[in-house]
């Protein structure tokens, strides 16, 4: 009988203070099959993946035993031995693609398989890129020339080129539109059909249903339910699993807000943009975001959503059109833009990019208080952390020591401390489990309404946008298309 691809026995992971973040995990992943890990943000799913790869943050410790691809079990604390298995036995698709890709190397060089790889790769580099619908020119690009969704697909392509029998995929479809999610699910499932095993960490219900296999639900670092994925989805036994599945955005009720249509915090007219030598990403885009309003922005991966958000924030000049912040045009009135700069903020798709890796969150929030006049951090931060369901103990950690969802909410907390007039939120809930996603979006909607700020919400999740936004622009085919009546819901709630 073929040995299991992965066996975890009594895996426990502790942070620098000795607190157990993951406790007594026993899991078995058969060769050529799929094991899904789902659960709340910060429950330890990514830590399990990091322990398997020997990549726990500095100061974190692991106990228990890990057996990979039939090799003798090793102590989970022996990270060096686990790292020796990279590429040949194990392959990691990490949660943050930009952190995994070498910024100084073109994509083709990073996807090229080792010449002595055994067995030979099933895909060449160009075949792998084509399989995830990336054109040949992407192979010549550097990582910073790709959108978040394109970088995510490059990681999926790397799994096709690689030969390791165990693939550990941490949120492999984060930031992808529905068509790309289905495509990636099909490709990942094909790896299982070719005899490779998949350990998949995801908040994406659609991906989990598509991949099937076995499923384990984590909460507070412990498994609360496990079994065949189809059975758990059909009849979840644990109350948390039922609540997790019920929090899918497709079941949200649309919110009603009253918007001040005569007081826009952002206006833009005739916006267009395209990279040199390529077809325009979009043209003729008109945007109007009133105080208390939410504009949704969607479209296929790589269509220019993030670029448009950067244009709205004065971070990248448009090829055509103009932008206005409460009457100030940031690309023409530099002095006015500097005066308002602090009030126009971006919530990045990659939260790790906005924090210094070597400093604790407490020090970085303290740095903010030093440069923002009148910010009473001790009074303002604790209630904000509570509203965002963030434990104050997280402030003592560094960015690499928290989950992606926790980092995203800490980034949101830092922005909200600045009392913004407008937030451009780029896939702000892609790292959050459905329950925390619902709570975070409810909080954002509440703050938008109560504080009178504007929100541009970039997302591939059309159900989330339909339940949250007053107006949605679908960016694609070289233009912006309004898919919902402009602020109809706000007018109904007035």
């Amino acid at each position: 009988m073929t040995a299991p691809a992965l066996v975890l026995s009594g895996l426990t992971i502790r942070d620098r203070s000795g607190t157990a973040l993951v406790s007594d995990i026993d899991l078995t992943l058969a060769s050529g099959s799929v094991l899904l890990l789902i659960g709340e943000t910060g429950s330890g799913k990514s830590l399990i993946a990091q322990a398997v790869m020997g990549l726990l943050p500095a100061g974190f410790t692991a106990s228990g035993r890990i057996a990979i691809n039939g090799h003798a079990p090793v102590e989970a604390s022996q990270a060096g031995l686990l790292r020796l298995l990279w590429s040949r036995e194990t392959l990691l698709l990490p949660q943050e693609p930009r952190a995994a890709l070498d910024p100084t190397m073109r994509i083709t060089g990073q996807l090229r398989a080792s010449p002595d790889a055994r067995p030979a790769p099933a895909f060449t580099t160009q075949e792998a890129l084509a399989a995830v619908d990336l054109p040949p020119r992407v192979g010549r690009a550097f990582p910073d020339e790709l959108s978040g969704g394109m970088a995510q697909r490059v990681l999926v392509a790397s799994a096709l080129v690689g030969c390791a029998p165990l693939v550990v995929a941490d949120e492999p479809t984060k930031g992808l539109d529905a068509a790309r999610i289905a495509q990636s699910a099909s490709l990942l499932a094909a790896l299982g059909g070719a005899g490779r095993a998949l350990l998949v960490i995801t908040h994406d219900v659609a991906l989990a249903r598509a991949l099937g296999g076995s499923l384990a639900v984590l909460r507070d670092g412990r498994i609360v339910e496990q079994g065949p994925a189809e059975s758990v989805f059909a009849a979840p036994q644990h109350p948390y699993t039922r609540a997790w599945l019920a929090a899918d955005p497709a079941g949200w009720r649309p919110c009603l807000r009253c918007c001040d249509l005569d007081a826009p915090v952002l206006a833009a007219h005739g916006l267009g943009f395209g990279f040199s030598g390529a077809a325009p990403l979009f043209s003729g885009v008109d945007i109007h975001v009133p105080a208390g309003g939410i504009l949704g922005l969607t479209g296929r991966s790589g269509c220019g959503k993030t670029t448009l958000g950067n244009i709205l924030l004065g971070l990248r000049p448009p090829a055509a059109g103009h932008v206005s912040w409460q009457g100030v045009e940031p690309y023409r009135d530099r002095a006015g833009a500097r005066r308002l700069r602090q009030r126009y903020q971006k919530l990045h798709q990659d939260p790790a990019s906005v924090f210094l890796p070597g400093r604790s969150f407490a020090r970085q929030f303290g740095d903010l208080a030093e440069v923002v006049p009148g910010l009473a951090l001790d009074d303002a931060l604790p209630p904000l952390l509570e509203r965002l369901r963030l434990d104050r103990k997280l402030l003592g950690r560094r960015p690499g020591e928290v989950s992606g969802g926790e980092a995203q909410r800490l980034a949101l907390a830092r922005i909200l401390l600045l009392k913004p007039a407008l937030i451009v939120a780029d896939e702000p809930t892609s790292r959050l489990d459905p329950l925390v996603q619902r709570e975070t979006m409810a909080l954002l909607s509440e703050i938008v309404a109560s504080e009178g700020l504007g929100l541009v919400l970039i997302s591939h999740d059309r159900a989330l946008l339909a339940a949250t936004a007053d107006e949605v622009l679908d960016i694609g085919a070289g233009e912006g298309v309004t898919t919902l009546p402009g602020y109809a819901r706000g007018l109904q709630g007035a």
Side-chain angles (χ1 to χ4, degrees), residues 269-273 282-286 320 478-480:
H269 300 284
L271 293 182
F273 185 84
F282 50 82
S283 61
V285 175
D286 295 333
E479 59 181 352

Side-chain angles (χ1 to χ4, degrees), residues 47-69:
L47 285 176
I48 292 173
Q50 290 167 358
V52 169
M53 300 298 295
L55 284 173
L56 286 173
F60 282 47
T61 58
S63 59
R65 295 169 74 81
I66 299 174
I68 294 175
N69 297 328

